[in-house]
Amino acid sequence: MLTLGIETSCDETAVAVLRGEREILSSVVYSQAELHSKYGGVVPEIASRDHLRKLPFVLKEALERAGVELSELDLISATYGPGLVGPLLVGLSAAKAIAYALGRPFVGVNHLEGHIFAHYLEFPEAPPPLLALIVSGGHTELVYVERYGSYRPLGRTRDDAAGEAFDKVGKLIGIAYPAGAEIDKLAKEGDPEAIPLPRPMLDSGYDFSFAGLKTAMVYYLREHPGARREDVAASFQRAVVEVLVRKTLITARKLKVRRIAVVGGVAANSELRARFREEARALGAEVYFPSLNLCTDNAAMIAAAARFRYEELGQRDELLLAPEPSLRI
Ligand code: KG4
Ligand code: ZN
């Protein structure tokens, strides 16, 4: 069984070929980040056009690396939401056209479920029930995964996503988009206690809020223009990490879940990984971080989710399926 996955919901053009449940024959990701960097964030119209330009080449490369002909594919899939409508349309239309031309089944995938399938791909030994924390530039979601395909969304951000907050604070101290990795690096040289910052919504409910942290930082920098960038990075990162770790672990204890999957671009953060591991151990829970290329946006996770839905749940979507920018899990 060969599944083609296409992912174009934001600023990565990605195509993957998956054999069976978990064998990634190829996973090609072309990032547009540099293109958007000078604007400080993703410009939807530029993203759409660049997906349109790059997708044929990324597709060709993915097939070549997999050593597979288009006609050998058994199932075609693409992300249909959530995301930017223009970018979504590009990948979705391509997938539908391929499925139609080949006469193969088509499955549309929820990008958030896709992120959960990064865990599925890498940790077959750690199946649900599990608690998934999806933290990326676009999302901060806490989801109870009873079994694959069956989700209970618990909480989400009420304003900025965790990664978005990293990117905005990065902008304040002159780091180009996306700023997460650079803040992570700077933070190692800074004092996490240097700047007093709130811990938004730490003890209230399942939702998150990160916009206030950025605002607090704006005010602080206005009064302390000479603040060290390292201290800004370290203090900000500490605040975000504390909130993410504490809220996730409190939830895990409440639901009596022993497995936690942390996925999405922010799962790359070194302090987040260290703190999660440390504090989960004390709770008797296990935390899983997929490898980096599966954490950030990719199409292997989309193909894996599609294969599962098609074979295990009997799903097959119509070619009329429209993009859903605000799709929820
Ligand atoms: O999952 P992803 O590649 O794309 C989205 O779906 O958004 O995540 C990108 C986000 C960016 O906001 C980036 O700043 C953040 O992940 N990020 C990090 C780190 N590496 C990437 N944030 C914190 N620490 C990192 N090491
Ligand atoms: Zn994503």
Side-chain angles (χ1 to χ4, degrees), residues 12 111 115 136-138 163-164 166-167 178-181 184 264-266 268-269 295-297:
E12 266 91 23
H111 182 83
H115 273 300
S136 72
E164 188 178 0
F166 269 91
D167 297 335
D184 193 348
V266 181
N269 187 269
C295 268
T296 52
D297 283 355

Side-chain angles (χ1 to χ4, degrees), residues 30-295:
Y30 163 76
S31 171
Q32 307 175 348
E34 210 173 304
L35 214 58
H36 302 288
S37 164
K38 63 169 172 271
Y39 305 102
V42 179
V43 183
E45 192 51 38
I46 293 178
S48 310
R49 287 176 202 216
D50 204 49
H51 282 305
L52 203 53
R53 230 178 341 250
K54 298 293 186 348
L55 184 56
F57 300 100
V58 176
L59 171 65
K60 189 160 175 276
E61 171 99 22
L63 292 170
E64 274 173 18
R65 281 197 210 170
V68 163
E69 300 284 335
L70 202 56
S71 59
E72 293 177 74
L73 297 168
D74 300 297
L75 174 66
I76 314 298
S77 67
T79 303
Y80 76 105
L84 301 165
V85 69
L88 283 169
L89 257 177
V90 176
L92 191 57
S93 305
K96 290 195 275 190
I98 295 168
Y100 183 69
L102 298 176
R104 296 289 192 279
F106 161 75
V107 169
V109 174
N110 181 323
H111 182 83
L112 296 170
E113 180 175 36
H115 273 300
I116 291 171
F117 270 75
H119 176 88
Y120 169 97
L121 278 169
E122 200 140 281
F123 303 110
E125 75 283 9
L130 48 91
L131 186 61
L133 176 67
I134 307 170
V135 269
S136 72
H139 314 282
T140 308
E141 306 256 351
L142 199 53
V143 181
Y144 176 64
V145 183
E146 192 185 354
R147 53 200 142 75
Y148 289 119
S150 174
Y151 310 103
R152 181 146 55 93
L154 298 167
R156 61 206 317 260
T157 182
R158 296 198 176 168
D159 39 58
D160 291 351
E164 188 178 0
F166 269 91
D167 297 335
K168 286 183 174 172
V169 166
K171 202 170 170 184
L172 294 178
I173 53 172
I175 301 173
Y177 166 87
E182 186 68 26
I183 289 188
D184 193 348
K185 213 186 310 166
L186 273 179
K188 293 191 199 320
E189 312 296 324
D191 173 8
E193 319 261 299
I195 304 172
L197 290 172
R199 302 292 188 260
M201 306 190 62
L202 192 58
D203 297 308
S204 57
Y206 293 122
D207 280 349
F208 300 91
S209 165
F210 293 109
L213 270 179
K214 188 209 69 179
T215 311
M217 195 57 97
V218 169
Y219 284 121
Y220 183 86
L221 289 175
R222 212 173 272 169
E223 282 167 31
H224 306 83
R228 287 178 70 228
R229 296 165 82 232
E230 291 83 356
D231 292 342
V232 171
S235 302
F236 165 75
Q237 180 172 288
R238 173 64 52 91
V240 175
V241 165
E242 255 181 41
V243 173
L244 289 174
V245 171
R246 175 98 66 91
K247 293 196 79 150
T248 305
L249 292 180
I250 288 173
T251 308
R253 191 178 333 148
K254 205 184 277 179
L255 301 182
K256 300 190 170 60
V257 195
R258 300 211 163 272
R259 290 181 181 142
I260 299 164
V262 187
V263 297
V266 181
N269 187 269
S270 57
E271 186 175 351
L272 186 73
R273 288 179 174 237
R275 285 292 287 268
F276 251 127
R277 291 227 158 89
E278 235 172 76
E279 296 191 23
R281 198 171 304 138
L283 203 74
E286 191 79 40
V287 189
Y288 299 86
F289 296 92
S291 46
L292 218 49
N293 52 351
L294 284 175
C295 268

Side-chain angles (χ1 to χ4, degrees), residues 308-316:
F308 180 87
R309 292 202 150 260
Y310 178 73
E311 286 207 311
E312 320 267 332
L313 308 180
Q315 182 174 330
R316 187 180 170 139

